[in-house]
Amino acid sequence: AAKGAGRNRFSYFTPALQVAALNRMRLTNDLRSAIKGEQLKLYFQPIVHLGTGAIHKAEALLRWEHPQRGLVSPLEFIPLAESSGLIVDIGQWVFDESLRWVRRWRQDIHPEFQVSLNQSPVEFQREGGTYDVWLRALRQLGVPGQAIVVEITEGLLLDASAMVTDKLLQLRDAGIQVALDDFGTGYSSLSYLNKFDIDYLKIDRSFTRNLAPDSSDMALSEAIIVMAHKLGLSVIAEGVETAEQRDLLAAAGCDYGQGYLFARPMPVEAFDALLQSHVAPAED
Ligand code: C2E
Ligand code: MG
Ligand code: MG
Ligand code: MG
C-alpha cells in the first residue's frame, strides 16, 4: 500500500521535478553520512580592520567536500539541512570547532579575537532549541561569550516573535555579540537597529560591488555607516574585491572589510598559518 501511495504521489510531478526531488533526497542522505564521515569542513575568511589592516575577526563558512560532487555550496545544502533537521547537529559542530579555534587565536593572536557564525532563520527559531549547550561549552573551555558573534538576517527581526527576542536576550546575557548580515538586501528597516541590541552591521556585497565616487550606492553606504555609528554599531563591508572599494569604504568611515581583496575563505589550517605569520612583525 505504501508503494502504491508513493507512486500516486509522484504522478503529480513532471519528470523534471521528480529528478529534482530525487536529487534532494539523495543529497540529504549523503549529508547525513557527511556529518559522520567528516566531509564537512570549516573555512574561515578574515575580517580586516580598515584603519590598521589588523585581522582580529573572522567569519566561519561551512564547506561540504562531497566525495563524488566535489565542493557543495552552503547555499545548496543548508536548506536541506534545515528541512531534514540535520541543521541542529551541523550548527553545533560549527560552534564547537569555532570555539576551539577562537580560544587558540585569543591566546596566540589577539586577546579580543572574535569568530562570527551564521545562524539561518530556521536554525535560530527552531522550537525548543536553546543556547544552553553553547553556554556550557564556553564555560568549560574558559572562553568568554565575547569571543563569538552570531550573524542573523533582517528577516528574523521583522516579525520578531517572543521566541526570537528571548533567544537574542539569551545570547546577550552570555556576552555573545550579534551581527546583522546582508544588510540592505531585505527591508532594511532601521527601527529594529534601535529595538534590538545589535553590535555589527554587515553591508551586503551588492552595495560594495557598485561603489564608485558620487554613485547612489556610495551615498547610501555613507548614510548607513553614519547612522550605524550614531546607534553605536560597528560596520563591516562584505564583498570587498578591489582597492578602490576598500579606499572608498575607509574614507566613508567603514570600520571593517571582508572580501576577496584581502583573502578568500580558506581551510582553517591555512587561516591559522596566515594569522600566525600576519601578526609576527607587529610583535617586536
Ligand atoms: P554570508 O554569511 O553572507 O557569507 C558571505 C558569503 O560571501 C560567503 O559565501 C563568502 O564566501 C562570500 N564572499 C566573501 N567575500 C567575497 C567577495 O569578495 N566576493 C564574492 N563574490 N563573494 C564573497 P559562501 O561561503 O558560499 O556562503 C554562502 C552563505 O551560506 C553565507 O552567506 C551564509 O548565509 C551561509 N552559510 C555559510 N556557512 C554557514 C553555516 O555554518 N551555517 C549557516 N546557517 N549558514 C551558513
Ligand atoms: Mg554571514
Ligand atoms: Mg553576509
Ligand atoms: Mg551574503
Side-chain angles (χ1 to χ4, degrees), residues 43-47 55 57-61 258-260 263-266 271:
Y43 277 41
F44 282 89
Q45 187 179 32
I47 297 172
I55 304 175
K57 303 181 197 303
E59 180 172 7
L61 293 162
Q258 179 181 353
Y260 296 168
R264 291 188 176 247
M266 64 188 93
F271 182 66

Side-chain angles (χ1 to χ4, degrees), residues 9-69:
R9 197 156 54 78
F10 275 104
S11 67
Y12 291 106
F13 291 134
T14 66
L17 282 174
Q18 271 189 42
V19 170
L22 267 176
N23 214 5
R24 269 199 303 278
M25 268 167 56
R26 283 209 195 97
L27 211 52
T28 305
N29 275 331
D30 289 354
L31 188 55
R32 202 163 276 127
S33 37
I35 299 172
K36 295 194 202 91
E38 301 184 348
Q39 293 163 22
L40 294 183
K41 300 279 179 324
L42 210 52
Y43 277 41
F44 282 89
Q45 187 179 32
I47 297 172
V48 178
H49 188 261
L50 291 177
T52 63
I55 304 175
H56 295 160
K57 303 181 197 303
E59 180 172 7
L61 293 162
L62 198 51
R63 294 290 179 268
W64 178 10
E65 290 172 5
H66 191 286
Q68 282 87 40
R69 298 177 193 228

